[in-house]
Amino acid sequence: MIGKKFIKNYTIGELEEYFRSSGEKSFRARQLMNWLYEKNVASFREMTNFSLELRRRLDLEFSVEALEFADRLVSEIDGTEKYLFTTRDGEHIESVLIKSEGEDEGRLTVCLSSQAGCAMGCSFCETAKIGFIRNLDAAEMVDQLCQVRRFSGQRNNNVVFMGMGEPFMNYDNVMRAAEIMNYSFGFHISVRKITVSTCGIIAGIERFIEEKRPYNLAISLNDTDPEKRARIMPVERGNPFGEIALLLNEKFPASHNRLTVVYVMRDDNISTEDAKRLKKMFRYNRIKLNLIPLNEGSHGYNAPTEQDIARFLRDLEIMNVPKTVRKSFGRDISGACGQLSGKKYTGIARARNFGDYK
Ligand code: SAH
């Protein structure tokens, strides 16, 4: 990408090295991280404990902002906020700020995008329709958090990589962003409050376990029958969920953070047979099943009725499958799960992927 480098791409270690090699004290790195994340300033100019000369030098080489704010929508139903950002090369990505209620009251979650578009092609997801555009830099993920905090005036305490894109197809940058968000003198978001969500990329899951990444892991299952899953989630073909389940049973360490399996409920995947297959899969009882009702869009799939959901929950209850049901947030602003499309793409995506689809 042309232009200045993004300062938010660098970890504390790299910044220390940078300052040392340019004749400054390495503690400047900690001060810089503090300005960028704890104080969340928008320019080097504001870093008043740096000399003018240093501020000028940093400004010549780096930019503080990686994204340009484009739009903000606030849900009238539940206060969910959806943000649209433009990248330097003119792509559009979205982030969502979600305020939990009930037993999770006080939890403030930011849902981040990891890619512009997505290559995974899940047939019920709006982002998939855009197709893949490119991976986001770590700075473009970290800056989503900076800007959502700045514009909302709220300090989130929870981060999920569940926005646009497949985090494990952009593994290095996502891990780098998570590390920067966790840094103690910056955002200081606990590793227990960072969740990476994948549609099930085996190579990524293996690497995540091998490297002992301390974050929570969520895997989107969405169908219990492999054939049927492959039809709605093409990723199943090269990455069978059966294999993932074995891998997790064997290797996901007991000391590790939370492991969740996400199941988006449609009207055709919540039969008693599905409940039975889930029961079998969830013999491994450390896994928590997270049920989300499908958000309807232009994909043609139907959400189940309240009664059907209640029946499915009863089935699972009887079979003793540990589960939580996630409420859908921000439906009126298309900020709910699987609805992020970077509104500017709607027309383009249809033209590119669906011919004359109206
Ligand atoms: N690629 C990653 C993260 C982005 S998708 C993943 O697959 O996990 C985040 C979540 O939104 C996934 O669990 C996905 O199954 C869910 N999702 C996608 N479209 C949806 C829709 N229309 N309604 C409800 N959830 C949806």
Side-chain angles (χ1 to χ4, degrees):
M1 239 180 286
I2 7 155
K4 295 187 218 176
K5 289 177 273 187
F6 295 137
I7 195 75
K8 289 175 186 164
N9 265 329
Y10 303 100
T11 61
I12 181 71
E14 289 163 345
L15 290 174
E16 280 171 353
E17 185 49 40
Y18 168 81
F19 282 113
R20 230 179 279 124
S21 65
S22 56
E24 291 282 342
K25 293 277 192 289
S26 60
F27 69 77
R28 294 279 177 222
R30 179 165 149 178
Q31 291 178 325
L32 178 61
M33 293 285 270
N34 193 259
W35 281 114
L36 290 176
Y37 307 119
E38 163 67 28
K39 298 201 177 69
N40 199 1
V41 299
S43 70
F44 292 110
R45 232 177 321 115
E46 295 161 73
M47 303 183 180
T48 44
N49 58 356
F50 287 3
S51 69
L52 270 180
E53 138 69 18
L54 177 58
R55 281 183 256 171
R56 221 172 283 134
R57 186 146 47 89
L58 287 167
D59 191 44
L60 277 176
E61 197 173 344
F62 303 99
S63 53
V64 171
E65 307 277 66
L67 299 170
E68 199 184 314
F69 169 81
D71 203 1
R72 171 181 180 229
L73 290 171
V74 181
S75 164
E76 284 177 13
I77 305 173
D78 51 36
T80 299
E81 300 182 15
K82 184 168 81 161
Y83 290 82
L84 176 72
F85 299 109
T86 312
T87 63
R88 196 188 272 171
D89 55 348
E91 303 301 345
H92 306 287
I93 56 165
E94 292 181 336
S95 322
V96 186
L97 174 72
I98 306 153
K99 297 157 196 171
S100 302
E101 301 159 356
E103 62 180 281
D104 295 326
E105 175 106 41
R107 192 203 284 165
L108 208 54
T109 302
V110 178
C111 179
L112 299 173
S113 293
S114 57
Q115 299 180 313
C118 185
M120 298 293 100
C122 301
S123 55
F124 53 94
C125 173
E126 295 297 324
T127 308
K129 294 187 181 148
I130 300 165
F132 177 64
I133 297 171
R134 70 165 172 84
N135 281 334
L136 297 184
D137 280 357
E140 291 170 318
M141 292 181 247
V142 174
D143 208 28
Q144 290 173 56
L145 206 44
C146 289
Q147 301 217 26
V148 168
R149 280 186 169 202
R150 199 175 302 141
F151 285 103
S152 66
Q154 313 238 30
R155 277 177 175 242
N156 66 301
N157 46 22
N158 203 35
V159 169
V160 294
F161 288 90
M162 285 188 191
M164 301 167 79
E166 168 48 47
F168 279 173
M169 296 303 274
N170 186 15
Y171 186 95
D172 290 320
N173 291 344
V174 167
M175 293 305 145
R176 174 176 280 272
E179 186 184 330
I180 295 170
M181 289 171 195
N182 172 239
Y183 174 67
S184 333
F185 296 97
F187 284 137
H188 200 188
I189 304 211
S190 150
V191 292
R192 302 197 172 276
K193 303 284 182 181
I194 298 178
T195 301
V196 181
S197 182
T198 177
C199 60
I201 307 289
I202 292 180
I205 298 171
E206 273 174 340
R207 206 173 146 195
F208 185 86
I209 296 173
E210 237 155 65
E211 294 177 356
K212 300 192 169 49
R213 296 291 176 175
Y215 317 111
N216 301 316
L217 185 63
I219 301 175
S220 304
L221 171 63
N222 303 340
D223 246 307
T224 57
D225 173 58
E227 272 303 305
K228 208 164 145 205
R229 183 170 191 259
R231 279 198 297 275
I232 63 151
M233 296 179 71
V235 68
E236 166 75 16
R237 298 208 180 97
N239 300 263
F241 189 81
E243 224 170 275
I244 295 174
L246 285 177
L247 172 72
L248 294 173
N249 281 348
E250 257 171 53
K251 300 238 179 90
F252 200 78
S255 60
H256 209 286
N257 263 343
R258 220 164 349 110
L259 180 58
T260 321
V261 167
V262 177
Y263 197 80
V264 174
M265 298 181 284
R266 309 185 307 268
D267 65 355
D268 66 341
N269 70 347
I270 55 167
S271 66
T272 304
E273 282 310 304
D274 286 308
K276 279 186 192 152
R277 280 192 289 258
L278 283 171
K279 160 85 183 155
K280 265 198 207 146
M281 279 181 197
F282 287 79
R283 274 175 309 198
Y284 183 54
N285 60 13
R286 286 190 42 242
I287 303 179
K288 187 107 173 249
L289 187 62
N290 196 342
L291 303 164
I292 312 176
L294 176 83
N295 289 305
E296 292 185 344
S298 53
H299 43 63
Y301 292 93
N302 298 319
T305 62
E306 295 282 328
Q307 291 94 310
D308 285 345
I309 293 179
R311 186 200 29 77
F312 186 54
L313 293 183
R314 256 194 325 271
D315 282 348
L316 291 170
E317 198 73 56
I318 294 165
M319 296 178 206
N320 231 337
V321 180
K323 63 184 176 325
T324 50
V325 184
R326 205 194 296 165
K327 189 177 156 259
S328 180
F329 292 97
R331 293 186 95 137
D332 54 334
I333 52 166
S334 297
C337 292
Q339 293 192 315
L340 303 185
S341 62
K343 65 181 180 193
K344 302 250 163 50
Y345 286 124
T346 321
I348 309 168
R350 288 185 177 169
R352 189 166 20 180
N353 291 346
F354 292 93
D356 232 8
Y357 177 88
K358 287 200 181 79

